[in-house]
Amino acid sequence: MDNQNEKYRHMDKPNKLQVNRKIKKIVFPGFSREIELPYYIEQVPRGEHQLQALRIRTGDVFGFVKKEHIFYLSDQVIAFPNERPIHITDSITSYEQGSISSYAMNLKNSNVATGIREYMPGDKFSWIDWKQTAKKNTIITKEFEQEKSTDTIVIMDSCYYRGLNELAFEAGIELTMSLVELIRKQASQVGFLSIGENVVYFPMHHDPAKKDLIRQHLTRLQPGGERPFSVILREETTKISSGANMILVTTHMDDTFRESIEKIKQRSKRVIVLFIQSSTLISSNEHNTIQQLRFEGVVINVLTEKQLVQKKIEVNVS
């Protein structure tokens, strides 16, 4: 059962949310030739759910005659990942970095003027340079330094390991989808790398259809594969251009995780880790790894049930 944020209250015991769904309708048709039976499937978890058969059982009022027939059909219900409101405590954008200019001028930086030009539709009234306007007898506006975007790659750990917490994995799916959309709205270039049974990469470019492709991928994604996430991570990040921010979303830190982070730090501008797990299920080895990585300058966000039940999740990037 997916009851939105409330499901994370059971993060230490995710099996409590497993239910055997039964939908029954009893009707007395009388002389009706057509019968319509509406029903609702509520709190549907993420994924593609196949509806394969419909069973109808009929009989007389006294129960002497009973007949049953199963109609096989092909239908499905698709539940997309929930998108969570996220507050990033530090802006990822910066000047003169990245490959493209951001689409919007940050208002707090609009006083960095680098030149003048003729007025264009859409220019603000406060940008007009009145001295140059009077001198040239035409409206002149100030030209500002453009704020450059910083490329960001969001990496999702969908590798299977023994003792995997399914509810923590679902939180990882939701946060990944939300982060990609939030960074995209900030006019920054964002790429997405999914590492699991298969490795899927969505490159960094502004494509309106990319959100739908990523959402479809995350809807179907399930933990899988036999190789550890940290090993595949080290291999795949060497294929990606260096200098980008990397945000890793994971639910597990093994013995080689720290070594892999140290390797990708050499190719990245900044490494941010979102570690998702129930507070009672974080092992002593994982606690030690978190402390060591923080000491080495890696930004670690530990998200437990305490943070996940909130309406808005705060992510620290510095």
Side-chain angles (χ1 to χ4, degrees):
M1 294 173 59
D2 188 342
N3 51 1
Q4 304 294 320
N5 305 357
E6 288 299 312
K7 63 178 177 285
Y8 296 116
R9 297 191 184 278
H10 305 286
M11 200 165 172
D12 57 336
K13 297 178 181 178
N15 290 334
K16 282 189 174 182
L17 296 172
Q18 299 287 344
V19 294
N20 185 18
R21 296 174 184 265
K22 290 184 178 181
I23 298 175
K24 287 186 176 181
K25 291 282 185 177
I26 301 176
V27 295
F28 299 95
F31 297 99
S32 302
R33 296 179 62 88
E34 294 182 2
I35 302 172
E36 183 176 332
L37 301 175
Y39 63 91
Y40 301 93
I41 304 178
E42 297 179 339
Q43 298 183 339
V44 179
R46 174 192 63 88
E48 294 181 342
H49 308 278
Q50 305 299 323
L51 307 179
Q52 300 174 343
L54 177 70
R55 181 172 65 180
I56 294 181
R57 181 182 296 163
T58 185
D60 66 305
V61 177
F62 303 103
F64 297 134
V65 179
K66 294 182 180 179
K67 287 190 176 183
E68 180 181 296
H69 187 76
I70 297 176
F71 295 90
Y72 293 98
L73 49 89
S74 178
D75 203 352
Q76 65 178 359
V77 173
I78 300 176
F80 293 119
N82 299 321
E83 289 191 37
R84 303 290 302 274
I86 295 179
H87 174 64
I88 293 182
T89 57
D90 186 17
S91 177
I92 292 179
T93 58
S94 61
Y95 281 103
E96 299 303 332
Q97 294 168 352
S99 56
I100 65 164
S101 301
S102 63
Y103 289 119
M105 180 75 71
N106 193 333
L107 293 178
K108 68 180 180 181
N109 296 318
S110 61
N111 57 347
V112 186
T114 58
I116 58 173
R117 57 174 171 78
E118 290 189 7
Y119 173 85
M120 295 178 61
D123 287 347
K124 292 187 177 181
F125 183 77
S126 59
W127 293 358
I128 297 176
D129 189 326
W130 294 106
K131 290 183 179 179
Q132 294 296 327
T133 297
K135 186 184 293 185
K136 296 181 180 294
N137 201 26
T138 184
I139 300 178
I140 301 295
T141 60
K142 299 173 185 177
E143 192 170 32
F144 298 97
E145 180 180 5
Q146 282 189 306
E147 188 179 11
K148 299 292 182 177
S149 70
T150 300
D151 299 338
T152 303
I153 301 173
V154 180
I155 303 173
M156 172 71 192
D157 174 10
S158 58
C159 294
Y160 177 80
Y161 62 91
R162 187 176 180 182
L164 182 140
N165 187 335
E166 294 180 4
L167 211 46
F169 180 78
E170 289 303 314
I173 293 284
E174 294 179 1
L175 288 177
T176 298
M177 186 72 238
S178 305
L179 278 170
V180 170
E181 181 61 9
L182 177 63
I183 297 170
R184 187 188 68 82
K185 286 180 178 178
Q186 290 181 347
S188 297
Q189 285 204 127
V190 57
F192 171 57
L193 178 63
S194 173
I195 297 177
E197 185 174 4
N198 299 307
V199 176
V200 182
Y201 179 53
F202 296 85
M204 294 179 290
H205 55 80
H206 287 282
D207 183 0
K210 185 165 66 175
K211 177 187 177 182
D212 291 334
L213 294 174
I214 293 175
R215 185 168 62 173
Q216 290 173 16
H217 174 76
L218 290 175
T219 299
R220 302 186 183 98
L221 188 62
Q222 296 296 333
E226 298 178 354
R227 300 179 65 202
F229 168 70
S230 52
V231 175
I232 305 175
L233 174 66
R234 193 161 29 183
E235 297 173 355
E236 292 300 323
T237 50
T238 59
K239 305 174 186 177
I240 301 173
S241 59
S242 59
N245 289 315
M246 288 196 181
I247 302 178
L248 278 69
V249 182
T250 184
T251 63
H252 180 60
M253 293 183 179
D254 57 17
D255 296 334
T256 59
F257 184 81
R258 181 179 163 223
E259 298 175 9
S260 299
I261 295 297
E262 290 175 350
K263 290 289 184 183
I264 67 173
K265 266 184 67 180
Q266 300 171 5
R267 297 178 50 85
S268 307
K269 181 188 174 186
R270 192 185 307 176
V271 178
I272 302 121
V273 177
L274 272 62
F275 177 63
I276 306 168
Q277 189 56 269
S278 171
S279 57
T280 60
L281 300 179
I282 301 176
S283 66
S284 58
N285 288 337
E286 288 172 332
H287 276 296
N288 292 333
T289 301
I290 291 168
Q291 291 179 354
Q292 291 171 355
L293 287 173
R294 282 176 172 167
F295 181 76
E296 294 168 3
V298 179
V299 181
I300 307 285
N301 291 266
V302 179
L303 301 175
T304 65
E305 49 268 77
K306 181 179 179 181
Q307 289 79 28
L308 294 172
V309 296
Q310 304 297 324
K311 291 183 178 180
K312 180 175 286 188
I313 298 175
E314 286 197 2
V315 175
N316 183 25
V317 296
S318 64

